[in-house]
Amino acid sequence: MKNELILLAHGSGGKQMRKLIEGFAGKYFSNPILDKMNDFAQIDGGSKTIVSTDSFVIKPYKFPGGDIGKLAVCGTVNDVACSGADVKYLTLALIIEEGLPIADLEDICKSIKKASEEAGVLVIAGDTKVVEHGAADGIYINTTGIGIKSIDADIGGEFVQPGDKIIINGNIGDHAAAILACREGLSFTTPSVSDCAPLNGMVKELLAQCSNVRCMRDPTRGGVATVAGEIARQSKVGINIFEQALPIEQSVLGACELFGMDPLYMANEGKLLIFIAAEEADKAIEVLRGNKYGKNAAIIGEVTDKKQGVVLQTAIGSSRILDELTGEILPRIC
Amino acid sequence: MNFDQFRTPGEGIEKLKHLIAKTADRDITIMEVCGTHTMALFRHGIRDMIPTGIKLLSGPGCPVCVTENSVIDKMIWLAGQSDVIVATFGDMLRVPGSYSSLNLQKANGANVQVVYSPLLALELAKKHPDKKVVFIAVGFETTIPAIAVALKSAKQRGINNFFVLCAHKTVPIALEAIAGMDNNVDGLLLPGHVSSIIGANAYRFLAEQYSLPGVIAGFEPLDLLKAIYMIVDMITSSKIAIVNAYERVVSDTGNIKAQQVIAQVFEPCDASWRGMGTIAGSGLKLNEDYVAFDIESIMRIDIAPPIEPAGCLCGQILCGTKTPPDCAHFASKCVPENPVGPCMVSTEGTCAAYYKYRNIGGSDS
């Protein structure tokens, strides 16, 4: 370890990042709350306060479908919402590079306002730092979200059971494809737009109708395949994903073919993988489709008791292992 | 393009599976030359759909994998020069050379930029007139035309701080070397993308002089199963030929314009392939009109003698004489995040494909 350096792959959401975090978090910060390794933490068993924090370093900071401000609100709101809590408050820390146009900062703040209003959260504390030109890339943002969980259900990566169904609330890969197209100046017949969205409203509707949601997680870096793998490991179950059931925009599929990428590993910013008891899956689909962020919701997999990680049942009837992401597909996408 | 038409389960797939099983009356070894085919065969689970007697071997068609350590060491040396920006396709970043990798150099502060096209590297040169921008020119006929176009544009626009480290290789002559080796290859699954440039006629000699059948194939499940069936059928019926089964992209004569662009900038040279040694006439170097763009024409690249990683079987794997599980390092010391040899690095690498799509029930490391 002594001579090793941090590589971009350590931030890709894949295997190297998991090993890095497990190494340091386990070694220096271990406690019962953190050790659950969910994207959110529940503090003070009684009052059920939920906390989640996230930093945003996306390049470029403006992209089709949003900007770093919208992303910083949605990313943290979604992580808190995945616990089943009502998201109430956000803290906002900005690290700004010398030379950033003030007008761009204002645009980003407008986005933060708009997204936080939609999500119904208040920005209650903040911090601003400016670093020398070259010491950051425009602007970095950290947000911490606080929510109150008023329902009793156990929701988290450790509660998934064999037989559960896996639902996604819409098309996969849109965010990564939009960033890729934007960075490389590509244009497709249907331009990709990031799916970046606050999903707490949709989650609230879902939890009001379905009481057996086991786990929700947003497949951001590492995509559906990597997040499914995390949950399989946490709950010690197997997962089958059905290739034919995956909702994917043709233009995203085209971009993937062109760049040799697999949509299952591409980042999303407005999607949740929802693990739910089989008998409630159809109801959940109906509820999700009634929300503007769930129009293309689909059942894309199921949980098994076979401890073989994540297996993709391909469209042509074969099957293969879906491993965690190694290396990085595209760095700095969130 | 709508991909569903090539990926729908049902009659076509079942029919081909049945035809292959019925026709394969003996053990047959097919080499898929191209790394993208290796990946596609695994990705669609084709290996599990064909009889066990049909063995699929990966060939030398992954550009990163066949690049010798000396070239990797040279690009790492270049990345260490303060007046150089190395521009490269992303695949080269993690390839371990004798002493380091570009990724490590980058983490140490070297100026290494990943580009998706050599034209972007040219723009980089325009943006940084005080630096030498060196594009790592590895790859086969598929990528060579784009590099030739970038060089022509550099010349026309008078951009004189754009260079290449030239390590291009061409496919047909390497296949001739494979055909002459003792590797039990009965037939070839020929590359789709390379063939779109060079055309089907470029391979005819393999059937005529070496009695080696080959089928040019696309990358979708139906393409792959159809090509495997055609190869098996040619072998069992002793009707040896080169067949183009990717007619929606490949013609007999290929892309003449692209071939002309290549000829305007490059000329054949001997090239050294990892695992296969030097093959006469199997590489391309800049011709006299363009030689000034060769970084080695203006800089003496001073590298120590390359060291091959001990026990790494990449060389034999590329020739089809070994497979990844034969290697003691495979999936233990050599994994994608910490590769020993280049075949574990590239997305098209044989070892990376075997690792990523290893058998269900495989260990979680």
Side-chain angles (χ1 to χ4, degrees):
Chain A
M1 212 30 133
K2 214 166 138 195
N3 295 319
E4 285 181 39
L5 301 174
I6 289 291
L7 305 175
L8 278 173
H10 286 115
S12 69
K15 193 172 182 176
Q16 286 106 313
M17 184 164 134
R18 172 169 67 83
K19 294 209 161 176
L20 186 78
I21 292 173
E22 284 173 359
F24 285 109
K27 194 165 158 191
Y28 297 110
F29 313 122
S30 177
N31 63 59
I33 299 173
L34 182 68
D35 293 350
K36 288 198 191 303
M37 297 299 274
N38 280 317
D39 287 353
F40 54 83
Q42 182 170 323
I43 48 178
D44 294 331
S47 72
K48 289 188 178 175
T49 301
I50 302 290
V51 178
S52 183
T53 191
D54 212 334
S55 298
F56 299 86
V57 297
I58 189 165
K59 177 186 180 179
Y61 56 78
K62 278 193 268 192
F63 49 85
D67 63 17
I68 192 168
K70 182 180 181 186
L71 194 64
V73 173
C74 298
T76 298
V77 161
N78 293 346
D79 281 346
V80 175
C82 282
S83 67
D86 280 334
V87 197
K88 300 279 192 191
Y89 308 109
L90 274 186
T91 68
L92 175 71
L94 309 177
I95 297 170
I96 306 170
E97 185 191 12
E98 176 187 27
L100 180 82
I102 299 263
D104 284 10
L105 181 62
E106 181 140 25
D107 286 346
I108 290 167
C109 289
K110 280 181 192 161
S111 296
I112 292 171
K113 176 179 156 71
K114 196 175 163 201
S116 52
E117 279 173 2
E118 182 184 345
V121 294
L122 294 177
V123 175
I124 52 155
D127 179 50
T128 305
K129 298 280 191 298
V130 177
V131 297
E132 293 89 347
H133 182 75
D137 202 349
I139 181 168
Y140 300 151
I141 300 181
N142 171 274
T143 50
T144 296
I146 298 162
I148 306 295
K149 188 173 170 187
S150 52
I151 56 168
D152 276 332
D154 286 330
I155 298 173
E158 67 273 39
F159 300 117
V160 168
Q161 299 169 20
D164 290 350
K165 297 286 183 197
I166 305 166
I167 293 172
I168 193 145
N169 59 307
N171 296 359
I172 64 171
D174 289 358
H175 177 72
I179 300 303
L180 178 68
C182 181
R183 271 195 212 164
E184 303 307 326
L186 300 175
S187 56
F188 297 102
T189 32
T190 324
S192 294
V193 175
S194 168
D195 57 349
C196 178
L199 301 174
N200 54 329
M202 185 184 78
V203 167
K204 209 170 172 179
E205 289 167 20
L206 178 71
L207 294 176
Q209 301 275 335
C210 301
S211 51
N212 288 301
V213 172
R214 320 273 197 211
C215 171
M216 295 175 280
R217 191 165 296 172
D218 49 348
T220 54
R221 287 169 299 173
V224 168
T226 304
V227 168
E230 284 169 19
I231 290 166
R233 204 172 298 112
Q234 265 183 292
S235 284
K236 300 183 175 63
V237 292
I239 285 177
N240 279 332
I241 303 280
F242 309 122
E243 189 174 35
Q244 263 198 303
L246 292 169
I248 310 177
E249 189 68 52
Q250 282 294 332
S251 63
V252 171
L253 211 50
C256 286
E257 290 294 322
L258 199 60
F259 287 94
M261 295 171 177
D262 187 336
L264 280 162
Y265 291 89
M266 286 172 68
N268 310 277
E269 290 295 344
K271 294 295 162 334
L272 296 180
L273 269 188
I274 299 161
F275 293 72
I276 190 167
E279 65 273 14
E280 278 190 345
D282 290 339
K283 177 80 195 158
I285 290 285
E286 193 188 316
V287 176
L288 292 169
R289 286 187 182 161
N291 185 287
K292 67 174 170 176
Y293 298 127
K295 292 271 176 263
N296 279 349
I299 297 173
I300 61 162
E302 64 191 10
V303 180
T304 71
D305 56 4
K306 296 194 185 77
K307 287 177 189 149
Q308 55 185 26
V310 186
V311 174
L312 182 77
Q313 309 294 335
T314 71
I316 60 165
S318 56
S319 59
R320 65 174 163 92
I321 291 271
L322 278 183
D323 213 345
E324 282 171 282
L325 177 68
T326 51
E328 78 267 8
I329 306 182
L330 269 184
R332 291 178 51 197
I333 47 175
C334 62
Chain B
M1 182 185 229
N2 187 333
F3 295 94
D4 292 346
Q5 58 183 319
F6 301 104
R7 290 185 187 167
T8 314
E11 228 183 307
I13 300 270
E14 287 308 314
K15 206 168 153 186
L16 282 165
K17 268 167 71 178
H18 178 72
L19 273 172
I20 294 169
K22 206 175 89 179
T23 316
D25 60 359
R26 64 196 83 172
D27 286 352
I28 290 172
T29 300
I30 298 172
M31 175 180 273
E32 79 268 4
V33 173
C34 159
T36 314
H37 274 149
T38 305
M39 265 325 201
L41 287 164
F42 274 109
R43 181 179 164 199
H44 297 298
I46 303 290
R47 281 164 189 266
D48 300 330
M49 297 184 136
I50 56 176
T52 49
I54 301 180
K55 203 170 147 199
L56 294 172
L57 276 183
S58 309
C62 154
V64 171
C65 307
V66 296
T67 302
E68 281 228 304
N69 256 11
S70 58
V71 176
I72 314 284
D73 292 344
K74 280 181 187 174
M75 70 189 197
I76 290 166
W77 183 91
L78 284 165
Q81 307 306 304
S82 58
D83 59 341
V84 168
I85 298 174
V86 167
T88 175
F89 292 136
D91 269 5
M92 296 305 286
L93 277 188
R94 286 187 298 131
V95 185
S98 306
Y99 311 98
S100 183
S101 70
L102 275 187
N103 227 2
L104 279 176
Q105 296 299 106
K106 187 166 172 269
N108 265 316
N111 205 340
V112 179
Q113 305 260 345
V114 172
V115 293
Y116 283 97
S117 145
L119 287 168
L120 294 174
L122 185 59
E123 293 312 314
L124 211 55
K126 218 181 141 216
K127 228 169 97 183
H128 299 278
D130 54 326
K131 302 272 187 194
K132 298 181 183 76
V133 172
V134 182
F135 182 75
I136 307 299
V138 298
F140 300 117
E141 289 90 336
T142 344
T143 40
I144 298 170
I147 294 158
V149 166
L151 286 162
K152 285 184 73 169
S153 172
K155 193 171 184 170
Q156 274 160 16
R157 294 160 68 189
I159 301 175
N160 51 20
N161 63 326
F162 177 71
F163 299 92
V164 294
L165 178 69
C166 194
H168 284 308
K169 296 180 172 58
T170 51
V171 168
I173 295 175
L175 291 183
E176 185 162 18
I178 296 268
M181 277 178 196
D182 182 22
N183 50 15
N184 303 318
V185 172
D186 300 308
L188 297 172
L189 187 66
L190 293 165
H193 300 138
V194 165
S195 305
S196 71
I197 306 291
I198 66 176
N201 290 344
Y203 306 104
R204 305 271 180 225
F205 73 95
L206 290 166
E208 287 154 13
Q209 293 168 36
Y210 295 91
S211 301
L212 200 55
V215 175
I216 298 167
F219 301 90
E220 300 301 325
L222 278 173
D223 290 323
L224 295 164
L225 285 169
K226 183 174 141 192
I228 291 169
Y229 166 65
M230 290 167 99
I231 295 170
V232 170
D233 185 48
M234 282 196 277
I235 291 166
T236 52
S237 63
S238 300
K239 287 178 189 152
I240 304 303
I242 299 296
V243 180
N244 178 9
Y246 196 29
E247 283 175 310
R248 63 182 190 274
V249 173
V250 177
S251 69
D252 274 353
T253 50
N255 183 334
I256 305 287
K257 251 190 186 164
Q259 292 167 20
Q260 283 166 347
V261 172
I262 295 174
Q264 283 158 10
V265 176
F266 294 100
E267 64 186 32
C269 65
D270 299 347
S272 185
W273 297 61
R274 188 185 294 267
M276 291 195 284
T278 301
I279 303 174
S282 68
L284 288 176
K285 63 175 182 182
L286 293 164
N287 66 23
E288 60 177 341
D289 292 341
Y290 285 88
V291 74
F293 291 97
D294 186 342
I295 189 68
E296 293 189 82
S297 74
I298 63 147
M299 274 180 126
R300 204 179 84 81
I301 299 183
D302 191 18
I303 54 162
I307 304 171
E308 295 299 326
C312 171
L313 296 187
C314 279
Q316 287 104 304
I317 288 164
L318 291 164
C319 304
T321 53
K322 294 269 192 246
T323 61
D326 296 331
C327 180
H329 296 327
F330 177 72
S332 57
K333 195 176 158 198
C334 184
V335 288
E337 64 272 25
N338 192 16
V340 174
C343 300
M344 188 55 96
V345 177
S346 168
T347 50
E348 296 179 11
T350 307
C351 298
Y354 269 76
Y355 183 86
K356 183 170 180 198
Y357 299 125
R358 63 196 184 279
N359 291 337
I360 289 172
S363 67
D364 174 31
S365 53

